[in-house]
Amino acid sequence: MRLSRAEYKEIVRWTEQLRPTRQCMKMLKERFPNHSQSTLLSIFSLEYQKRTKRTISRHHAPDVIESHYQRYLSEVKAHPTAPVLLELANEVDLSPALMARIILDRFLQDLEGGMPSKTVVNSMLKEPSLIPDQILANNIYQCTINDCCYGPLVDCIKHTIGQEHEVLLCDKLKERNLSFLDENQLRAMGYDKTPDIILEVPIAVEGHIVHWIESKASFGDDHSHRTYLNEQFWSYWNRFGPGLVIYWYGFIGELDCQRDRGILLKDCFPADIVTLCHAAQQDQLPQEPQ
């Protein structure tokens, strides 16, 4: 889905007061029924992460951590079955999963008499039943399953979705009988930084030559696209020539402005593919790194 910058900004403005809970995502979908939930979630997640980066330092101040922790202890004592930690996170505008990490870390400091290792904290966030306090374990669990932007559950979902779209891309290429090398094959050849797909025989899409394809299971906004350009896409262009980026959940239409320089954006697998002559194959194959 290509969105104009004006459409994108309208969605962003509406997300500014939302919290990263699944209930808020339902409200967002009701407000913008013509956009897919995946696109809306991706936009909201990107915007909320920007917001969090601007404010997270204040939540990590020692006095603020202690205030959050003592408030949690007080409220959970009075209401042991209530979702105290989730409500506290929403009240102070902090990701529930990040609030869970802060409180768990503080709890373990008291329990162990020192700073807990990240390995221990991460394992307990992934599996709250390991936490030796059942009420805290329940609160941690409520935070992680209700957070749509951060936490181990979100990380797992994002990883799975990313892999699913890479498989979808490979399936589409196979349906067209297009010969290609995937990321695993390229790494086996010695490449350390590659796009998801290198085409062994280049194709033309909408009149533009394509040697490689990158799959992004996210929305392409200004910040993320600029980062990808600087850290990935231009280096792919330098090594392999012009390519195609698929933002499966859409992008700001105005960002598709590098076609003449060799980077084409799409929001789906292109339908109008022309395979270039086989004689060009040997000249276009990636060479073994020296």
Side-chain angles (χ1 to χ4, degrees):
M1 178 177 292
R2 296 172 67 112
L3 299 183
S4 69
R5 195 176 300 280
E7 290 176 308
Y8 167 74
K9 287 183 176 180
E10 182 184 1
I11 295 172
V12 169
R13 280 195 297 271
W14 210 82
T15 66
E16 289 175 353
Q17 302 304 317
L18 295 182
R19 302 293 186 263
T21 63
R22 305 196 184 281
Q23 292 79 9
C24 288
M25 284 310 306
K26 181 180 178 182
M27 294 166 56
L28 192 60
K29 178 60 178 174
E30 290 173 351
R31 176 64 181 80
F32 299 98
N34 294 328
H35 301 309
S36 74
Q37 183 162 320
S38 297
T39 295
L40 294 172
L41 175 57
S42 185
I43 292 173
F44 175 68
S45 181
L46 290 167
E47 290 303 312
Y48 188 77
Q49 287 168 23
K50 295 174 194 174
R51 196 161 93 200
T52 298
K53 288 177 181 178
R54 293 193 299 266
T55 61
I56 190 63
S57 59
R58 73 173 184 235
H59 292 288
H60 281 281
D63 59 326
V64 175
I65 291 175
E66 192 61 29
S67 175
H68 290 339
Y69 185 58
Q70 293 304 324
R71 183 171 172 185
Y72 161 75
L73 292 176
S74 174
E75 294 190 11
V76 84
K77 184 177 181 179
H79 309 284
T81 60
V84 171
L85 209 51
L86 180 61
E87 292 173 354
L88 177 58
N90 290 333
E91 180 182 327
V92 301
D93 192 15
L94 180 63
S95 151
L98 296 182
M99 175 63 83
R101 176 178 287 276
I102 287 173
I103 298 301
L104 176 59
D105 188 89
R106 178 63 183 81
F107 166 80
L108 292 174
Q109 288 180 41
D110 276 355
L111 186 68
E112 300 177 359
M115 294 297 293
S117 71
K118 288 185 178 180
T119 301
V120 170
V121 174
N122 289 338
S123 64
M124 289 184 175
L125 289 172
K126 291 178 181 177
E127 185 47 74
S129 63
L130 298 174
I131 300 171
D133 181 310
Q134 186 59 53
I135 294 177
L136 178 58
N138 289 339
N139 273 270
I140 296 294
Y141 176 72
Q142 289 166 349
C143 285
T144 56
I145 65 170
N146 281 287
D147 197 318
C148 62
C149 293
Y150 286 95
L153 178 60
V154 171
D155 291 342
C156 182
I157 291 172
K158 285 182 177 179
H159 178 71
T160 301
I161 290 174
Q163 288 189 319
E164 286 179 351
H165 283 82
E166 288 176 17
V167 171
L168 172 62
L169 174 57
C170 290
D171 288 344
K172 293 288 186 181
L173 292 167
K174 290 174 183 176
E175 288 174 7
R176 295 297 191 94
N177 294 316
L178 297 172
S179 183
F180 64 91
L181 300 171
D182 63 26
E183 194 172 14
N184 292 328
Q185 292 171 307
L186 290 164
R187 284 179 180 170
M189 292 170 60
Y191 289 95
D192 59 349
K193 192 173 184 179
T194 69
D196 293 315
I197 295 296
I198 295 276
L199 296 163
E200 294 188 281
V201 178
I203 60 175
V205 176
E206 298 175 8
H208 297 271
I209 296 175
V210 170
H211 292 272
W212 53 268
I213 304 176
E214 178 75 4
S215 170
K216 295 295 184 188
S218 61
F219 183 85
D221 68 351
D222 290 282
H223 177 75
S224 61
H225 184 63
R226 182 168 59 250
T227 301
Y228 288 140
L229 277 172
N230 294 333
E231 297 182 0
Q232 296 180 354
F233 304 158
W234 288 129
S235 64
Y236 300 160
W237 182 90
N238 286 331
R239 297 181 74 178
F240 307 114
L244 165 67
V245 178
I246 302 178
Y247 283 111
W248 295 100
Y249 296 154
F251 58 91
I252 298 172
E254 289 86 340
L255 295 177
D256 190 17
C257 58
Q258 305 285 357
R259 292 188 170 204
D260 292 340
R261 297 183 63 190
I263 295 180
L264 174 69
L265 304 186
K266 296 284 288 183
D267 61 354
C268 62
F269 189 81
D272 53 343
I273 289 177
V274 176
T275 305
L276 301 187
C277 64
H278 190 77
Q281 178 176 359
Q282 294 304 316
D283 292 334
Q284 306 302 338
L285 279 172
Q287 301 300 309
E288 189 81 22
Q290 300 299 317

